[in-house]
Amino acid sequence: MSDYWAGLANCLILGEEFTETETQQVRNLIRLNLDGIEFEIHQAPGLINNYRSYEGHFVNSTSVWVRNLAESDFERVERIARDISELLSFACGAQIRKYGYKFDRVAPTAESWAIPGVARYWRPVLISRSGDIAREFLEKTWPQYHLLRDPRQLNVVFDYLALNQLSEIPQELQLTITFTTLENLKCTYANSQKIPFEKGYFRKVSSPPKSDPAKEPKYGFEELLNLMFSERHMTPGLSTIIDLRNDIIHSGISLKSFERQNEILGSAQDIIREYLLKLLGYTGQYSSYSQPNGSPLTI
């Protein structure tokens, strides 16, 4: 058996335990257990106390280690390391990505990939950068993420949310990304419920069913979203979000004021954030998107 290493980029969290460098102790280590495997997450010591200087830049921030890994567990650990990067991307609102591995019991023994993305910590889901918060988040959410990642395309959703938080993106583009995120969640929800899709629309099934499925009544966008949210005991008001979505999608711009559009953007992002946390089985405190400096919210 040999040690496994994976590199993650753009993650600006703290550690939970201290380690020794040549000059000082630094709190840069998180230990966690996922699927019965012990992982060590080591943050680059230099970014612990100076993380703001890395925002907006690509940074090799994080090393993920599994000690004495059996060759038979390599592929499973690769997938979990990828999942860790994606869940941290959601938690931190940043383009956190796995960019390579080293493990001398497989061929090739190492790989690295050119990946896009920059470090960011602006309106995170986590209420702090503390390593214990990050560990608890990963341990609570990974079991459901493991099950739902592919059927609900959650890695795509997390990437949309990270893109939304990049600096200097026009508000109309932020809104378009947000509406696309809702569309994606709606579509994968409908597919997961085996709602039939005929002639460009998700369809209801009459009783008795019509002979031509394409003549069944259509589900509307808002109707499907309400079904999806109600499954997680949510009843958000969607009318203003959908009105702005129609403006932006159909014309690329809205006559609503910047302030009103920003308010609706925050509301939509809050709804998406709450839904995803509930979907992933998270319990505990988290931060609002619309009021990042307000009191923590609780699920």
Side-chain angles (χ1 to χ4, degrees), residues 14-280:
L14 295 170
E16 186 174 14
E17 299 179 30
F18 285 88
T19 65
E20 294 276 355
T21 70
E22 293 182 358
T23 58
Q24 62 179 331
Q25 285 191 329
V26 60
R27 193 174 67 172
N28 70 326
L29 171 61
I30 299 171
R31 301 180 195 271
L32 71 156
N33 185 300
L34 298 178
D35 202 25
I37 296 176
E38 299 290 335
F39 288 84
E40 298 176 13
I41 299 176
H42 294 256
Q43 292 295 94
L47 63 77
I48 296 299
N49 297 319
N50 193 31
Y51 75 99
R52 288 295 184 193
S53 67
Y54 293 95
E55 288 202 272
H57 303 279
F58 180 90
V59 54
N60 297 332
S61 61
T62 309
S63 292
V64 177
W65 289 93
V66 177
R67 307 297 180 182
N68 299 314
L69 179 67
E71 182 179 345
S72 59
D73 287 328
F74 169 71
E75 291 186 1
R76 180 161 62 112
V77 165
E78 272 279 272
R79 288 191 294 270
I80 297 174
R82 175 206 65 192
D83 292 349
I84 288 171
S85 72
E86 293 168 355
L87 282 166
L88 288 174
S89 176
F90 170 51
C92 298
Q95 295 173 301
I96 298 172
R97 305 177 189 275
K98 178 174 172 287
Y99 64 84
Y101 75 84
K102 294 179 183 177
F103 185 56
D104 64 13
R105 301 297 297 273
V106 299
T109 58
E111 286 192 3
S112 61
W113 311 283
I115 57 170
V118 296
R120 186 85 164 132
Y121 199 86
W122 182 50
R123 297 192 182 198
V125 171
L126 294 185
I127 61 172
S128 81
R129 296 171 57 237
S130 296
D132 59 332
I133 302 294
R135 174 182 52 76
E136 289 173 7
F137 174 83
L138 290 168
E139 290 181 338
K140 286 178 177 179
T141 60
W142 181 82
Q144 278 297 99
Y145 188 67
H146 170 67
L147 295 174
L148 296 175
R149 177 191 186 269
D150 293 341
R152 296 302 306 274
Q153 298 179 6
L154 294 180
N155 57 314
V156 176
V157 170
F158 293 170
D159 209 26
Y160 284 152
L161 296 177
L163 284 170
N164 200 325
Q165 297 211 48
L166 293 177
S167 60
E168 300 179 358
I169 285 185
Q171 188 175 71
E172 289 82 4
L173 184 52
Q174 285 184 305
L175 287 162
T176 300
I177 293 170
T178 300
F179 301 143
T180 301
T181 303
L182 287 170
E183 290 278 5
N184 179 264
L185 288 170
K186 173 215 72 176
C187 182
T188 60
Y189 167 77
N191 287 332
S192 73
Q193 299 300 305
K194 299 186 177 358
I195 296 174
F197 187 80
E198 297 286 344
K199 295 289 182 68
Y201 294 93
F202 287 103
R203 304 278 179 169
K204 303 173 186 179
V205 179
S206 302
S207 181
K210 297 183 184 299
S211 58
D212 183 356
K215 292 183 179 179
E216 294 282 17
K218 305 170 185 175
Y219 275 107
F221 177 59
E222 184 173 3
E223 192 174 12
L224 269 177
L225 284 178
N226 280 326
L227 279 175
M228 181 183 81
F229 290 132
S230 67
E231 190 179 73
R232 300 295 156 183
H233 308 291
M234 296 172 61
T235 56
L238 297 173
S239 58
T240 57
I241 294 170
I242 290 172
D243 286 345
L244 183 55
R245 172 250 190 193
N246 292 338
D247 285 350
I248 297 294
I249 296 301
H250 294 153
S251 66
I253 199 165
S254 172
L255 297 180
K256 291 181 173 64
S257 69
F258 176 89
E259 291 75 17
R260 181 59 177 148
Q261 290 185 57
N262 194 55
E263 181 182 336
I264 295 169
L265 171 65
S267 176
Q269 285 285 328
D270 284 344
I271 291 167
I272 291 169
R273 186 169 289 195
E274 180 184 353
Y275 174 74
L276 289 171
L277 289 170
K278 288 183 173 180
L279 184 68
L280 292 170

